[in-house]
Amino acid sequence: SEPAWMYEFDLGDGVKTRLISDELRSIHQTREEMIMSLIDRLFPEGLHGNTCLDVACNEGYFSHLLYRRGGKVKGIDVREVNIQRACAVREIMGYDPTRLVFQSEDFFGNQDPPGCYHITFFLGILYHLENPMSALRKLRGLTTTVSFIETQLTGQREPVMSGWGQTA
């Protein structure tokens, strides 16, 4: 059986990647609706001519969404398996690899020049970092127009050892 994925990609002909957990579908759908509706409002003509950075892109789901809206996108993630999956989806979909780039990279080691991205995504990573303020400063330095930062906070009495952050 094919290993499960964090995101469900529709690869065409009725083929979809299998999710790690079905509850992720609604989490991802909510996140996509919130963020992409703002993108569409801020950029009603699309993202043509805009450069985008998707930090901790995982399997590249949001990178692909930005690409389909016309952006030139770079997705980075520290896990090579995620980059391999993002590249596989890009190839299956026939997307331009010069406009949709994926790299295995630690964000703190990023060497892109200041202000080289119009749009940056920083989704689901902030709460994993030892020094979140340093990461936000670095992100701000790379961004000229807008950055989308999504994180979660919970009122836990004990550490969340499994699941997706729900208090149950």
Side-chain angles (χ1 to χ4, degrees), residues 34-51:
M34 286 188 323
I35 295 168
M36 299 317 286
S37 66
L38 286 171
I39 286 282
D40 293 340
R41 231 176 27 222
L42 292 170
F43 301 91
E45 305 298 318
L47 298 179
H48 306 281
N50 286 281
T51 54

Side-chain angles (χ1 to χ4, degrees), residues 3-168:
W5 289 48
M6 178 64 77
Y7 288 91
E8 184 175 60
F9 287 90
D10 185 342
L11 304 174
D13 296 327
V15 177
K16 292 183 179 183
T17 55
R18 185 173 56 87
L19 283 174
I20 294 168
S21 167
D22 284 336
E23 71 182 312
L24 284 174
R25 189 174 291 108
S26 66
I27 293 168
H28 296 323
Q29 183 179 7
T30 299
R31 183 191 268 178
E32 180 179 342
E33 288 170 2
M34 286 188 323
I35 295 168
M36 299 317 286
S37 66
L38 286 171
I39 286 282
D40 293 340
R41 231 176 27 222
L42 292 170
F43 301 91
E45 305 298 318
L47 298 179
H48 306 281
N50 286 281
T51 54
C52 309
L53 176 65
D54 186 2
V55 178
C57 69
N58 203 285
E59 299 152 348
Y61 186 82
F62 283 91
S63 298
H64 284 90
L65 294 177
L66 293 167
Y67 172 89
R68 288 200 302 260
R69 282 169 169 79
K72 182 176 182 180
V73 184
K74 177 180 174 183
I76 63 172
D77 199 283
V78 295
R79 290 163 290 183
E80 183 62 36
V81 66
N82 289 341
I83 296 303
Q84 291 170 355
R85 286 176 169 194
C87 289
V89 172
R90 179 188 64 202
E91 186 176 329
I92 290 167
M93 302 304 287
Y95 294 158
D96 179 355
T98 64
R99 216 185 84 212
L100 181 57
V101 175
F102 292 105
Q103 287 180 207
S104 180
E105 179 181 303
D106 182 328
F107 177 63
F108 285 106
N110 180 281
Q111 296 295 311
D112 292 328
C116 70
Y117 296 102
H118 298 101
I119 301 162
T120 54
F121 274 28
F122 206 74
L123 311 179
I125 183 69
L126 192 66
Y127 56 92
H128 290 287
L129 302 177
E130 184 177 334
N131 191 342
M133 294 311 293
S134 177
L136 293 174
R137 284 185 195 99
K138 183 169 187 68
L139 187 68
R140 173 62 188 107
L142 292 168
T143 309
T144 61
T145 306
V146 64
S147 185
F148 290 83
I149 302 166
E150 183 270 345
T151 193
Q152 62 180 343
L153 301 172
T154 61
Q156 299 294 127
R157 287 189 175 89
E158 298 176 24
V160 176
M161 302 309 288
S162 66
W164 308 106
Q166 65 270 52
T167 56

